[in-house]
Amino acid sequence: MRPTRPSMQKLMERRRRAGFVGRVGERAAFRENLDLPPEDERHRFLFHVHGNAGVGKTFLVRELEQLARERGALTAYVDEGVGSVPEALSAMCRQLDAQGHRLKKLEEALTAHRERRHEAEAEVAALEPAPEGPSPLASTAVRLGLAGFGLAVPVAGPFMGAVDSDRLAEGAARLKARLSARFRNQEDLQLVLAPERVLTPTFLDELADITSAAPWLVLFLDTYERTGAFLDGWLHDLMTTDRYGELPANVVVVSSGQRPFDTGRWGGFADFMTDLPLGPFTEAEARTLLADREVRAEPVVAEVMRLSGGLPVLVSTLAESRPADPDDVGDLSATAVERFLKWEPDPARRRAAVECALPRFLDADVFRAAVDCPPDEALALYDWLRKMPFVRERGERLQYHDVVRAPMLRLERRRSPRGWAERHERLAETFADWREERGNELDDPWTDRRWRELRLAEGYHRLCAREQAALPGVLRDMVPACAWGPEEARRWGRMVADAGEDTDAAEVARWGRDLLDALEGPTTGAALGLLLDRADLDARTRALAHASRGTILRRDGQYQQAVLEYDRAVALDAELTRAYADRGIARAHLGEYEAAVEDLDRAHALDPEDAEILATRGDYHRILGDHEAALRDLDRAIELDRTLSTAWAARGVTHHALGRNDLALADLDHTLALAPEFVWALVRRARVRRSRHERELQLADLNRALALAPDTPWVLCERGDALSAAGREREALADYQRAIDLDDTYASVYASRGVLHAKHGRYEDAVADLDRAIELFPEYLWALVHRSKAQCGLGWFEEALADAHHAVELAPDDGWALANRITVNLAVGRLEQARSDLDRYRTIGSDPAWARRQSVRLHVWSGRFEEALEELDDDCTRCEVHLRTGDWTRARQEAERLCSLDEFGGALNLALAVSGETGVAAARPLWRRCAHSARGTAEAVICAGLQDWAELDTRLERALAVPHEWADLMDLSECLEILLHSEGIDRTRLAAGLARVVAARDAMRARYAE
């Protein structure tokens, strides 16, 4: 067998570790911590290494990593080579896989995250104009606008502010519906908007398995001064809360950065962490390292100590060539860089080391562009450079240590300013060539990460070459960078800051500092404001910046301010399509749907083939009740993009509003075939099921929606309504309460629970819930009408009239609100007002049969019996007319027929007819039969028919002690009047009771007469 040898990498690591010196206390503390079980109060879960650049933080962290592995620990290391939480998790995933512990579910989730991001970018690219069309800036405006349609928007949705409960409840869901058109389910959506919420629980689930197979898992987070911007909050939640799940106790975290931990965030965690501040080497430690490198001559040691200041990276660098001659010691004119390299005899290496300091990152291609050397020497030089102690690997690229790179840059800049500018200009042109080559394959190059990296590098070198000339262009590029979110914008801000420091350009450095300060928040809004206030932006770029800031404000729920930003955008660029479209969405948030449609008209005129604009405008037409216009837009949107699930869903809902239940169901079925986890479509299909009387299927859809979105108040409210309609009161109340627990400002759920209380006669509870709903949403039409009804149930007729009037004022063309005012007017005897409203209802109302019944009641009460029969010639009307005109025989015949339709009502009318025809004695069996089912004021009529005068007095006393509707008192007085003229009745006794009823009836009508 061939003898096994260690790999080159292992040999290099072995030698490096063998030469590690110093930091005895820090290493001992870490080692001892791994000897303590997690349950021991002395055990620490977090170590934080911090100190200035060059003190050896990374070397120490790498040493601690090896110590951990010697203890059998699994380890993962990340540094500034990652730019987000998903990238950090991806790096950990790869390293743990290399140690034999594959995180398969996390790998799949990360792949899905990258795919969803790619899908979002591909969706943008599909909307972009052809290469010969508008400029990349205009293309970026299109892409930015797409974000306004849903890549990062609030849960509340673009439909908050609608004028009834259904529209109010649709708000948050409708927005998610738009997003679901792009992303298959809610998890896919989160993978784009907040990937750590999906990825971290998966990470923790798999950590539980692998930590059970190893004594420790140690996570190393290096260069925390840069990675902490996106890792610190996540790490704090991971270690100190259960937001993502439980972190295994045998996990230890080691972070390393230039600054101590933020005590404002981590102060309460002090008892569970160890702080490891690092300073320069002591003289003894430095001498030990030099001796290990065989540098022992005292004059040389003294020179190294003087030049390095004890910084480990400089001590190591200066010792690397094992200098033996202290030549030039004391030459104060020699620069630090010359002394770092003065023991390197090869001038080509010395030159390459300095020239390669110019790029911020290196790979073999960049090396060849930076170093002027024969091609056959480039590879050997590159291999030599990557082994230098001041060069670190960052993924597939190399990076100089800041402490070494900074003086090298100063050396080059001061030695030959013209040569400095020329070399940077050459590098800028190289990156520009690569960028253009890459961009030739892209419709909108800003959608491509690699293109953005090349543009970033080009910008850095242009700033270094000609900072004054290049700064305006770089700041213009900051606007589309901000459009990509804080992560991308921070890369650009850091680049500007680095260029300012590296060129000693005060203006550029100030811009870099100010941009990074502005980007400390969760959005790029402050940075965009800074650019708008201070940068020299052209009109189109300013328009894009205002549109981007408008989108940020809209995501934050500041809709009016967002509209102002969009106003500024279109004032600067009248052809910025997405600014009009996004302003329309912001106006829809404010309930200004007519204005929203006008904006979308303009957007459509600028881009007639944009399916999303058409779908959005169609949906707003639906909300405004213009169903024909809605269908025209939605049909066209579907014709342009048959995969646009939101258009199918909105068209299905439009068909439902028109009563076309079969078409509605077909469209919503198709929607859910495209997007099976589209919650809004499931709920709207459930409503169609309700209209088709498919109660079980309705509940099945709602149960599925809640399985997908279990903590969504409006879906809970929808299911509560369905359960209430099915008579499952207790379950409905549970859903309503759960929705309130999740969001006690959700008006619709209070309204729904109020209606359920009223349904079961709990009118005071109903009014209390409806009060709360209207307090939250003062123009809540549905709640106003139902509160009016509940107030009638309590006899609060003045309040009921006020709500009925207000509802009609809010929606003059709403037939349902007008019908309620008709009912309330009848309840208080305002017959002329009811008649006037009824004439209007016949024009706008949707229930002509109900209108005819109310008209019959008005005619009968007014003694216009022929008009009543002309209005509705049915059994009920004929019976009522014959009773009031004394045609007892025909009244009895109609009542007998009515018994098969309404047993109690028919029996009561039959008893009245027989009493009038043959006397109360003959009708007595009928009155006794009615007594078994007596309810309401009919109880008093039955007592009179049985001539139970004491009970009649009791019933009347009880009935007249509480407010009753005028209509009930009118019907009661008419029935008692019939009995008063029946043979065998004690007219004296009955007349007294009738007088009381008539007095109460007339007093009520007088009270509410205008």
Side-chain angles (χ1 to χ4, degrees):
M1 292 180 60
R2 179 183 299 174
T4 32
R5 289 179 176 174
S7 67
M8 179 187 300
Q9 293 90 336
K10 288 184 178 178
L11 286 172
M12 291 169 61
E13 180 62 32
R14 185 180 299 173
R15 293 176 191 176
R16 185 178 292 118
R17 287 206 65 216
F20 189 92
V21 298
R23 312 309 186 194
V24 175
E26 292 83 355
R27 297 157 70 193
F30 181 76
R31 193 163 38 231
E32 291 167 5
N33 192 65
L34 296 182
D35 292 333
L36 297 172
E39 296 79 12
D40 193 308
E41 291 187 357
R42 295 170 295 172
H43 178 79
R44 296 294 180 261
F45 299 101
L46 174 63
F47 284 73
H48 183 58
V49 180
H50 61 92
N52 293 329
V55 297
K57 298 184 295 296
T58 296
F59 280 99
L60 176 60
V61 166
R62 287 301 197 181
E63 174 66 11
L64 298 183
E65 182 179 18
Q66 291 302 318
L67 292 175
R69 290 192 175 187
E70 289 170 1
R71 291 291 197 279
L74 299 172
T75 67
Y77 172 92
V78 298
D79 59 16
E80 64 187 289
V82 303
S84 64
V85 171
E87 290 181 11
L89 290 173
S90 181
M92 295 177 191
C93 199
R94 289 193 301 271
Q95 293 172 53
L96 291 171
D97 186 20
Q99 295 167 67
H101 293 274
R102 184 182 179 192
L103 306 185
K104 184 177 180 182
K105 293 179 181 178
L106 181 59
E107 286 179 3
E108 293 171 351
L110 286 163
T111 299
H113 162 65
R114 289 187 288 269
E115 289 174 351
R116 296 297 86 76
R117 287 288 297 265
H118 178 72
E119 286 174 16
E121 295 180 1
E123 182 73 18
V124 174
L127 295 174
E128 302 294 355
E132 65 271 20
S135 67
L137 178 60
S139 299
T140 301
V142 175
R143 184 202 51 71
L144 172 61
L146 184 64
F149 270 96
L151 282 181
V153 282
V155 173
F159 303 103
M160 294 300 290
V163 295
D164 63 29
S165 67
D166 288 347
R167 295 171 190 169
L168 180 71
E170 287 172 10
R174 187 62 184 88
L175 176 58
K176 285 194 174 182
R178 300 198 63 80
L179 299 178
S180 296
R182 293 199 185 101
F183 306 115
R184 194 174 308 157
N185 55 44
Q186 295 300 310
E187 183 170 296
D188 285 346
L189 176 60
Q190 290 296 319
L191 280 171
V192 173
L193 302 184
E196 67 278 2
R197 297 182 186 176
V198 177
L199 300 174
T200 310
T202 304
F203 177 55
L204 291 179
D205 285 346
E206 296 202 287
L207 284 193
D209 292 334
I210 70 170
T211 53
S212 64
W216 300 102
L217 169 63
V218 187
L219 305 178
F220 294 90
L221 311 178
D222 203 359
T223 58
Y224 208 67
E225 68 274 8
R226 297 193 176 182
T227 59
F230 53 87
L231 287 182
D232 197 50
W234 172 77
L235 181 64
H236 183 268
D237 286 345
L238 185 72
M239 297 189 71
T240 67
T241 75
D242 59 359
R243 179 178 184 180
Y244 300 119
E246 294 184 349
L247 184 65
N250 59 336
V251 173
V252 175
V253 176
V254 178
S255 56
S256 172
Q258 293 185 8
R259 295 179 293 273
F261 257 5
D262 177 6
T263 55
R265 172 173 283 167
W266 290 92
F269 199 65
D271 291 343
F272 304 94
M273 65 181 292
T274 294
D275 192 57
L276 297 178
L278 295 188
F281 273 166
T282 65
E283 183 174 346
E285 289 173 328
R287 286 180 176 276
T288 301
L289 188 148
L290 290 171
D292 183 70
R293 301 294 196 278
E294 299 180 4
V295 179
R296 296 185 175 87
E298 186 56 34
V300 176
V301 171
E303 173 69 352
V304 170
M305 292 294 295
R306 186 182 71 82
L307 288 174
S308 69
L311 287 178
V313 67
L314 299 188
V315 175
S316 179
T317 298
L318 292 169
E320 190 64 28
S321 295
R322 295 172 173 79
D325 184 359
D327 203 27
D328 294 331
V329 171
D331 181 1
L332 298 179
S333 66
T335 66
V337 174
E338 289 171 329
R339 294 190 177 275
F340 298 157
L341 299 174
K342 71 175 183 176
W343 291 298
E344 173 53 61
D346 187 341
R349 289 182 175 183
R350 290 168 58 88
R351 186 175 61 253
V354 174
E355 291 176 344
C356 283
L358 269 64
R360 297 166 78 225
F361 294 95
L362 279 173
D363 58 23
D365 293 331
V366 176
F367 178 89
R368 283 191 290 269
V371 177
D372 186 12
C373 71
D376 58 344
E377 296 178 10
L379 182 59
L381 277 174
Y382 183 64
D383 287 341
W384 166 81
L385 183 65
R386 69 188 305 165
K387 298 172 186 176
M388 288 292 95
F390 54 81
V391 175
R392 298 173 293 180
E393 291 194 9
R394 293 286 185 253
E396 298 179 354
R397 299 185 297 185
L398 306 179
Q399 184 181 22
Y400 276 33
H401 196 291
D402 290 342
V403 171
V404 174
R405 181 172 181 261
M408 286 185 174
L409 294 177
R410 286 196 300 273
L411 168 70
E412 286 300 286
R413 190 178 71 250
R414 293 171 181 173
R415 175 182 291 169
S416 175
R418 189 179 297 275
W420 161 274
E422 289 173 353
R423 284 194 293 275
H424 276 294
E425 191 65 48
R426 186 170 66 246
L427 284 167
E429 291 302 323
T430 298
F431 282 112
D433 290 343
W434 293 343
R435 173 181 59 79
E436 290 176 6
E437 180 182 346
R438 179 83 176 182
N440 289 335
E441 304 171 3
L442 305 166
D443 290 330
D444 177 10
W446 277 97
T447 63
D448 182 73
R449 182 180 183 120
R450 177 58 180 159
W451 185 93
R452 296 197 303 269
E453 290 176 348
L454 294 169
R455 182 72 163 180
L456 185 72
E458 177 191 352
Y460 169 78
H461 290 293
R462 293 209 187 280
L463 284 173
C464 290
R466 297 177 291 112
E467 69 269 16
Q468 293 299 322
L471 183 59
V474 169
L475 294 179
R476 283 193 292 272
D477 277 350
M478 275 295 305
V479 173
C482 285
W484 280 96
E487 181 182 327
E488 184 67 25
R490 277 193 286 267
R491 288 191 177 102
W492 280 76
R494 170 55 56 192
M495 178 273 285
V496 174
D498 287 350
E501 182 177 348
D502 296 344
T503 59
D504 197 23
E507 178 68 7
V508 176
R510 183 166 67 90
W511 265 109
R513 289 192 303 271
D514 292 348
L515 285 168
L516 289 174
D517 288 344
L519 289 165
E520 286 186 353
T523 75
T524 60
L528 287 165
L530 181 67
L531 292 164
L532 285 165
D533 290 342
R534 286 172 38 192
D536 181 19
L537 305 178
D538 59 72
R540 299 187 72 190
T541 307
R542 293 185 70 82
L544 187 59
H546 281 298
S548 180
R549 195 157 64 166
T551 299
I552 291 168
L553 289 166
R554 181 165 56 80
R555 293 170 185 170
D556 195 41
Q558 300 181 58
Y559 307 121
Q560 196 62 59
Q561 295 91 326
V563 169
L564 294 175
E565 289 295 329
Y566 292 129
D567 288 346
R568 296 182 182 108
V570 298
L572 289 162
D573 184 354
E575 296 187 357
L576 190 54
T577 304
R578 303 310 310 190
Y580 290 104
D582 291 351
R583 187 173 67 179
I585 295 172
R587 284 175 165 166
H589 278 280
L590 296 168
E592 301 170 0
Y593 287 99
E594 292 86 354
V597 168
E598 290 177 5
D599 274 340
L600 289 162
D601 287 344
R602 176 63 175 154
H604 175 63
L606 290 167
D607 189 355
E609 302 300 304
D610 189 312
E612 293 228 23
I613 290 174
L614 281 163
T616 305
R617 188 176 70 175
D619 205 32
Y620 293 168
H621 280 312
R622 173 187 70 81
I623 291 171
L624 289 168
D626 190 348
H627 296 121
E628 289 186 7
L631 288 175
R632 281 197 302 271
D633 277 351
L634 295 167
D635 286 345
R636 178 59 178 155
I638 290 169
E639 180 182 339
L640 289 168
D641 183 357
R642 296 192 63 80
T643 68
L644 190 57
S645 60
T646 49
W648 288 95
R651 192 174 73 173
V653 174
T654 305
H655 283 314
H656 187 210
L658 293 169
R660 303 168 183 169
N661 293 336
D662 290 344
L663 290 174
L665 185 60
D667 274 354
L668 288 163
D669 283 346
H670 190 79
T671 301
L672 291 163
L674 291 170
E677 299 184 7
F678 191 161
V679 172
W680 188 77
L682 278 166
V683 173
R684 298 313 296 248
R685 188 172 71 176
R687 294 188 184 183
V688 176
R689 304 282 197 200
R690 178 183 63 196
S691 299
R692 291 163 59 91
H693 308 292
E694 298 169 349
R695 295 292 185 183
E696 291 302 318
L697 291 174
Q698 176 194 5
L699 278 170
D701 275 347
L702 292 171
N703 289 338
R704 172 64 175 155
L706 276 172
L708 293 169
D711 294 331
T712 309
W714 75 273
V715 181
L716 283 161
C717 185
E718 287 276 347
R719 191 175 71 174
D721 292 344
L723 292 167
S724 173
R728 295 159 65 174
E729 180 188 5
R730 181 175 299 178
E731 294 169 83
L733 288 172
D735 273 356
Y736 292 147
Q737 187 59 53
R738 172 66 177 151
I740 290 170
D741 291 342
L742 289 166
D743 182 1
D744 62 2
T745 65
Y746 183 36
S748 187
V749 69
Y750 289 103
S752 288
R753 190 171 70 174
V755 170
L756 179 57
H757 284 315
K759 178 181 177 181
H760 292 276
R762 299 187 293 271
Y763 295 115
E764 290 187 1
D765 291 338
V767 169
D769 272 345
L770 291 161
D771 283 346
R772 175 61 174 153
I774 293 165
E775 176 189 351
L776 292 166
F777 184 13
E779 297 185 354
Y780 196 167
L781 182 73
W782 194 79
L784 280 165
V785 170
H786 278 288
R787 187 171 71 174
S788 175
K789 295 175 184 291
Q791 288 163 340
C792 281
L794 289 168
W796 300 354
F797 296 111
E798 290 183 8
E799 293 86 348
L801 273 172
D803 277 352
H805 285 314
H806 188 197
V808 173
E809 289 169 357
L810 287 174
D813 296 328
D814 190 294
W816 180 64
L818 188 61
N820 177 67
R821 190 167 76 174
I822 293 168
T823 301
V824 179
N825 277 325
L826 292 177
V828 297
R830 292 160 54 92
L831 304 188
E832 289 307 314
Q833 293 87 340
R835 184 175 289 109
S836 175
D837 279 349
L838 194 57
D839 289 341
R840 168 73 173 149
Y841 181 85
R842 291 177 189 275
T843 302
I844 67 172
S846 60
D847 191 348
W850 178 87
R852 286 195 296 273
R853 289 194 297 273
Q854 305 315 307
S855 182
V856 165
R857 297 178 77 193
L858 282 167
H859 287 316
V860 169
W861 287 335
S862 302
R864 295 194 290 267
F865 301 120
E866 290 185 5
E867 289 91 333
L869 288 171
E870 289 175 0
E871 184 74 52
L872 185 62
D873 189 6
D874 64 356
D875 293 340
C876 185
T877 304
R878 288 193 295 271
C879 183
E880 194 167 2
V881 168
H882 295 326
L883 282 172
R884 280 160 174 74
T885 58
D887 190 344
W888 310 119
T889 301
R890 295 172 71 180
R892 176 173 51 77
Q893 292 170 349
E894 298 295 345
E896 287 172 346
R897 281 194 287 271
L898 275 176
C899 287
S900 63
L901 301 174
D902 178 1
E903 184 177 358
F904 176 76
L908 184 65
N909 284 326
L910 182 60
L912 285 169
V914 171
S915 295
E917 183 179 25
T918 59
V920 293
R924 192 172 185 84
L926 294 172
W927 288 115
R928 286 176 176 166
R929 174 182 160 193
C930 290
H932 296 301
S933 305
R935 57 182 184 267
T937 55
E939 293 176 339
V941 177
I942 294 167
C943 290
L946 292 171
Q947 300 197 80
D948 188 344
W949 306 116
E951 186 63 21
L952 174 63
D953 289 341
T954 300
R955 297 286 182 182
L956 288 178
E957 186 73 26
R958 186 181 303 161
L960 298 178
V962 296
H964 267 281
E965 294 186 9
W966 178 90
D968 291 339
L969 295 174
M970 181 65 181
D971 288 340
L972 174 59
S973 66
E974 290 288 337
C975 291
L976 294 179
E977 184 72 28
I978 292 170
L979 284 173
L980 185 66
H981 299 288
S982 297
E983 185 176 342
I985 199 76
D986 185 339
R987 290 185 174 83
T988 303
R989 299 291 297 273
L990 181 55
L994 175 59
R996 293 171 63 192
V997 174
V998 170
R1001 180 197 70 192
D1002 293 346
M1004 185 174 191
R1005 186 173 186 185
R1007 177 180 178 183
Y1008 293 102
E1010 289 184 347

